[in-house]
PDB file of all heavy atoms in Angstrom:
ATOM      1  N   LEU Q 247      19.755 -18.629 -66.998  1.00  0.00           N
ATOM      2  CA  LEU Q 247      19.277 -17.759 -68.074  1.00  0.00           C
ATOM      3  C   LEU Q 247      17.812 -18.022 -68.452  1.00  0.00           C
ATOM      4  O   LEU Q 247      17.253 -17.303 -69.298  1.00  0.00           O
ATOM      5  CB  LEU Q 247      20.162 -17.924 -69.326  1.00  0.00           C
ATOM      6  CG  LEU Q 247      21.566 -17.313 -69.210  1.00  0.00           C
ATOM      7  CD1 LEU Q 247      22.449 -17.818 -70.331  1.00  0.00           C
ATOM      8  CD2 LEU Q 247      21.495 -15.803 -69.218  1.00  0.00           C
ATOM      9  N   ALA Q 248      17.197 -19.000 -67.821  1.00  0.00           N
ATOM     10  CA  ALA Q 248      15.809 -19.365 -68.173  1.00  0.00           C
ATOM     11  C   ALA Q 248      14.851 -18.167 -68.124  1.00  0.00           C
ATOM     12  O   ALA Q 248      14.109 -17.943 -69.079  1.00  0.00           O
ATOM     13  CB  ALA Q 248      15.324 -20.501 -67.283  1.00  0.00           C
ATOM     14  N   PRO Q 249      14.872 -17.363 -67.055  1.00  0.00           N
ATOM     15  CA  PRO Q 249      13.899 -16.256 -67.006  1.00  0.00           C
ATOM     16  C   PRO Q 249      14.074 -15.236 -68.138  1.00  0.00           C
ATOM     17  O   PRO Q 249      13.140 -14.525 -68.473  1.00  0.00           O
ATOM     18  CB  PRO Q 249      14.186 -15.593 -65.648  1.00  0.00           C
ATOM     19  CG  PRO Q 249      14.938 -16.602 -64.872  1.00  0.00           C
ATOM     20  CD  PRO Q 249      15.699 -17.415 -65.856  1.00  0.00           C
ATOM     21  N   GLU Q 250      15.257 -15.180 -68.709  1.00  0.00           N
ATOM     22  CA  GLU Q 250      15.513 -14.201 -69.778  1.00  0.00           C
ATOM     23  C   GLU Q 250      15.023 -14.673 -71.142  1.00  0.00           C
ATOM     24  O   GLU Q 250      15.068 -13.912 -72.114  1.00  0.00           O
ATOM     25  CB  GLU Q 250      17.013 -13.908 -69.881  1.00  0.00           C
ATOM     26  CG  GLU Q 250      17.533 -13.106 -68.705  1.00  0.00           C
ATOM     27  CD  GLU Q 250      19.032 -12.875 -68.800  1.00  0.00           C
ATOM     28  OE1 GLU Q 250      19.573 -12.872 -69.931  1.00  0.00           O
ATOM     29  OE2 GLU Q 250      19.654 -12.720 -67.743  1.00  0.00           O
ATOM     30  N   GLN Q 251      14.601 -15.933 -71.225  1.00  0.00           N
ATOM     31  CA  GLN Q 251      14.146 -16.445 -72.525  1.00  0.00           C
ATOM     32  C   GLN Q 251      12.794 -15.839 -72.883  1.00  0.00           C
ATOM     33  O   GLN Q 251      11.943 -15.653 -72.014  1.00  0.00           O
ATOM     34  CB  GLN Q 251      14.073 -17.976 -72.498  1.00  0.00           C
ATOM     35  CG  GLN Q 251      15.386 -18.645 -72.149  1.00  0.00           C
ATOM     36  CD  GLN Q 251      16.562 -18.093 -72.960  1.00  0.00           C
ATOM     37  OE1 GLN Q 251      16.541 -18.116 -74.183  1.00  0.00           O
ATOM     38  NE2 GLN Q 251      17.563 -17.572 -72.269  1.00  0.00           N
ATOM     39  N   LYS Q 252      12.658 -15.525 -74.185  1.00  0.00           N
ATOM     40  CA  LYS Q 252      11.477 -14.751 -74.574  1.00  0.00           C
ATOM     41  C   LYS Q 252      10.182 -15.560 -74.634  1.00  0.00           C
ATOM     42  O   LYS Q 252       9.125 -15.043 -74.367  1.00  0.00           O
ATOM     43  CB  LYS Q 252      11.746 -14.062 -75.921  1.00  0.00           C
ATOM     44  CG  LYS Q 252      12.684 -12.871 -75.721  1.00  0.00           C
ATOM     45  CD  LYS Q 252      13.032 -12.182 -76.995  1.00  0.00           C
ATOM     46  CE  LYS Q 252      14.061 -11.089 -76.692  1.00  0.00           C
ATOM     47  NZ  LYS Q 252      14.840 -10.738 -77.843  1.00  0.00           N
ATOM     48  N   ASN Q 253      10.276 -16.826 -75.018  1.00  0.00           N
ATOM     49  CA  ASN Q 253       9.019 -17.579 -75.041  1.00  0.00           C
ATOM     50  C   ASN Q 253       9.024 -18.716 -74.022  1.00  0.00           C
ATOM     51  O   ASN Q 253      10.075 -19.151 -73.546  1.00  0.00           O
ATOM     52  CB  ASN Q 253       8.699 -18.077 -76.463  1.00  0.00           C
ATOM     53  CG  ASN Q 253       9.744 -19.048 -76.962  1.00  0.00           C
ATOM     54  OD1 ASN Q 253      10.003 -20.067 -76.323  1.00  0.00           O
ATOM     55  ND2 ASN Q 253      10.367 -18.751 -78.098  1.00  0.00           N
ATOM     56  N   ASN Q 254       7.821 -19.146 -73.696  1.00  0.00           N
ATOM     57  CA  ASN Q 254       7.633 -20.155 -72.643  1.00  0.00           C
ATOM     58  C   ASN Q 254       8.369 -21.454 -72.922  1.00  0.00           C
ATOM     59  O   ASN Q 254       8.916 -22.076 -72.018  1.00  0.00           O
ATOM     60  CB  ASN Q 254       6.144 -20.463 -72.471  1.00  0.00           C
ATOM     61  CG  ASN Q 254       5.455 -19.354 -71.712  1.00  0.00           C
ATOM     62  OD1 ASN Q 254       6.123 -18.508 -71.118  1.00  0.00           O
ATOM     63  ND2 ASN Q 254       4.137 -19.338 -71.759  1.00  0.00           N
ATOM     64  N   MET Q 256      11.150 -21.980 -74.619  1.00  0.00           N
ATOM     65  CA  MET Q 256      12.587 -21.837 -74.337  1.00  0.00           C
ATOM     66  C   MET Q 256      12.840 -21.719 -72.837  1.00  0.00           C
ATOM     67  O   MET Q 256      13.833 -22.242 -72.313  1.00  0.00           O
ATOM     68  CB  MET Q 256      13.158 -20.614 -75.072  1.00  0.00           C
ATOM     69  CG  MET Q 256      13.291 -20.799 -76.569  1.00  0.00           C
ATOM     70  SD  MET Q 256      14.126 -22.338 -77.029  1.00  0.00           S
ATOM     71  CE  MET Q 256      15.807 -21.973 -76.616  1.00  0.00           C
ATOM     72  N   GLN Q 257      11.935 -21.026 -72.162  1.00  0.00           N
ATOM     73  CA  GLN Q 257      12.078 -20.912 -70.704  1.00  0.00           C
ATOM     74  C   GLN Q 257      12.063 -22.298 -70.061  1.00  0.00           C
ATOM     75  O   GLN Q 257      12.862 -22.591 -69.187  1.00  0.00           O
ATOM     76  CB  GLN Q 257      10.916 -20.086 -70.148  1.00  0.00           C
ATOM     77  CG  GLN Q 257      11.268 -18.615 -70.014  1.00  0.00           C
ATOM     78  CD  GLN Q 257      10.196 -17.826 -69.278  1.00  0.00           C
ATOM     79  OE1 GLN Q 257       9.351 -18.383 -68.597  1.00  0.00           O
ATOM     80  NE2 GLN Q 257      10.252 -16.517 -69.452  1.00  0.00           N
ATOM     81  N   TYR Q 260      15.333 -24.199 -70.919  1.00  0.00           N
ATOM     82  CA  TYR Q 260      16.453 -23.687 -70.116  1.00  0.00           C
ATOM     83  C   TYR Q 260      16.289 -24.075 -68.647  1.00  0.00           C
ATOM     84  O   TYR Q 260      17.253 -24.423 -67.972  1.00  0.00           O
ATOM     85  CB  TYR Q 260      16.586 -22.168 -70.272  1.00  0.00           C
ATOM     86  CG  TYR Q 260      17.453 -21.765 -71.433  1.00  0.00           C
ATOM     87  CD1 TYR Q 260      17.193 -22.196 -72.733  1.00  0.00           C
ATOM     88  CD2 TYR Q 260      18.568 -20.952 -71.232  1.00  0.00           C
ATOM     89  CE1 TYR Q 260      17.989 -21.830 -73.792  1.00  0.00           C
ATOM     90  CE2 TYR Q 260      19.388 -20.583 -72.299  1.00  0.00           C
ATOM     91  CZ  TYR Q 260      19.096 -21.025 -73.568  1.00  0.00           C
ATOM     92  OH  TYR Q 260      19.902 -20.664 -74.607  1.00  0.00           O
TER      93      TYR Q 260
END
Side-chain angles (χ1 to χ4, degrees):
Chain Q
L247 288 166
E250 289 178 26
Q251 302 312 303
K252 285 178 185 157
N253 63 57
N254 284 347
M256 288 311 286
Q257 266 188 17
Y260 272 56

